Amino acid sequence: DADVTQTPRNRITKTGKRIMLECSQTKGHDRMYWYRQDPGLGLRLIYYSFDVKDINKGEISDGYSVSRQAQAKFSLSLESAIPNQTALYFCATSDHRGTYNEQFFGPGTRLTVL
Amino acid sequence: AQKVTQAQTEISVVEKEDVTLDCVYETRDTTYYLFWYKQPPSGELVFLIRRNSFDEQNEISGRYSWNFQKSTSSFNFTITASQVVDSAVYFCALRATYSGAGSYQLTFGKGTKLSVIP
């Protein structure tokens, strides 16, 4: 089984709808992240969480919210989806105990907002 | 502020050719970490390698090798004898270590799309 899972893997929704993307991990990592990827722009950080009680905004948090329900679960919500939120969304995890703190990514969720 | 530049947007090579993907970074920190990730057509992001700013020793892993040069702020990635399965988008990323929560953020380059033609 994959260490970092994301659901759904693909989603098509309409403008104005609320949508939640979920991320779960079995790596035992304390830190979790949400990124979006747009063609030609690389990955940009939306939100990150260092533990259940710690949530931080990233580079592009407007229009998004998150919830860290448990150490292993980190959800991303779009309260009122708009077409320019169409993108590939990645969840990632890392372990603060590691020197490098490298991040391990889930398989991605492809979101289309019509 | 930190920045990662991958100037090559797309590269095409014929199978068995060698190819080098360039990565140039900017940071004010003396301690930092560099990473390469691979994104195959299936879309997932696969961690390839990590390097810290105090370790300039080059690394080789099979057909892959990495050249880290602090003097030119570069961390280039070479694939020897390329294969069709190497076709992917490759991302270089930087993590600085300045104090505060932001020290664990990764700054990604925009990626280089490599196409290996049979």
Side-chain angles (χ1 to χ4, degrees):
Chain A
D1 290 338
D3 295 321
V4 185
T5 58
Q6 293 183 232
T7 55
R9 293 294 310 279
N10 289 281
R11 181 70 182 269
I12 299 174
T13 191
K14 294 182 178 180
T15 297
K17 294 291 187 181
R18 183 180 189 276
I19 185 168
M20 179 181 287
L21 309 183
E22 299 189 355
C23 176
S24 295
Q25 53 113 347
T26 59
K27 298 183 76 67
H29 289 172
D30 53 337
R31 301 172 190 273
M32 298 186 73
Y33 312 79
W34 275 104
Y35 292 87
R36 65 176 279 175
Q37 181 183 13
D38 298 277
L41 294 181
L43 276 79
R44 294 179 293 167
L45 183 64
I46 305 172
Y47 270 96
Y48 59 102
S49 170
F50 285 170
D51 64 39
V52 174
K53 298 179 181 179
D54 181 87
I55 303 289
N56 303 280
K57 292 182 177 180
E59 179 185 355
I60 52 164
S61 59
D62 288 348
Y64 302 95
S65 62
V66 291
S67 174
R68 185 83 182 265
Q69 302 96 322
Q71 186 184 42
K73 296 184 182 296
F74 192 36
S75 300
L76 175 72
S77 293
L78 287 67
E79 297 300 327
S80 180
I82 56 177
N84 76 0
Q85 291 178 313
T86 294
L88 183 58
Y89 290 84
F90 286 100
C91 173
T93 73
S94 69
D95 186 347
H96 82 280
R97 294 166 297 180
T99 301
Y100 288 84
N101 205 246
E102 64 264 39
Q103 295 180 18
F104 296 90
F105 288 80
T109 294
R110 189 167 297 280
L111 176 65
T112 302
V113 183
L114 302 176
Chain B
Q2 51 192 33
K3 184 179 179 181
V4 176
T5 301
Q6 294 180 255
Q8 305 149 308
T9 304
E10 294 191 39
I11 301 176
S12 291
V13 299
V14 176
E15 199 170 21
K16 297 184 182 180
E17 288 184 347
D18 299 347
V19 58
T20 295
L21 309 182
D22 298 332
C23 173
V24 174
Y25 61 90
E26 297 176 27
T27 180
R28 293 174 297 176
D29 295 298
T30 56
T31 301
Y32 50 89
Y33 303 93
L34 295 161
F35 308 86
W36 275 95
Y37 288 87
K38 173 182 180 180
Q39 186 177 39
S42 52
E44 71 273 23
L45 279 164
V46 179
F47 165 73
L48 293 178
I49 192 172
R50 63 191 188 191
R51 176 67 71 228
N52 73 59
S53 54
F54 298 107
D55 182 4
E56 288 194 73
Q57 187 173 11
N58 293 329
E59 181 156 342
I60 299 174
S61 176
R63 296 184 297 106
Y64 295 172
S65 62
W66 290 268
N67 183 304
F68 175 34
Q69 291 193 335
K70 289 180 71 172
S71 60
T72 56
S73 296
S74 64
F75 186 40
N76 297 336
F77 174 28
T78 297
I79 301 175
T80 303
S82 60
Q83 299 177 3
V84 173
V85 293
D86 296 326
S87 296
V89 179
Y90 291 87
F91 291 97
C92 180
L94 166 70
R95 179 172 77 80
T97 57
Y98 51 87
S99 62
S103 63
Y104 291 96
Q105 296 185 38
L106 281 180
T107 298
F108 283 84
K110 295 182 178 181
T112 297
K113 182 178 181 180
L114 174 65
S115 298
V116 181
I117 304 166

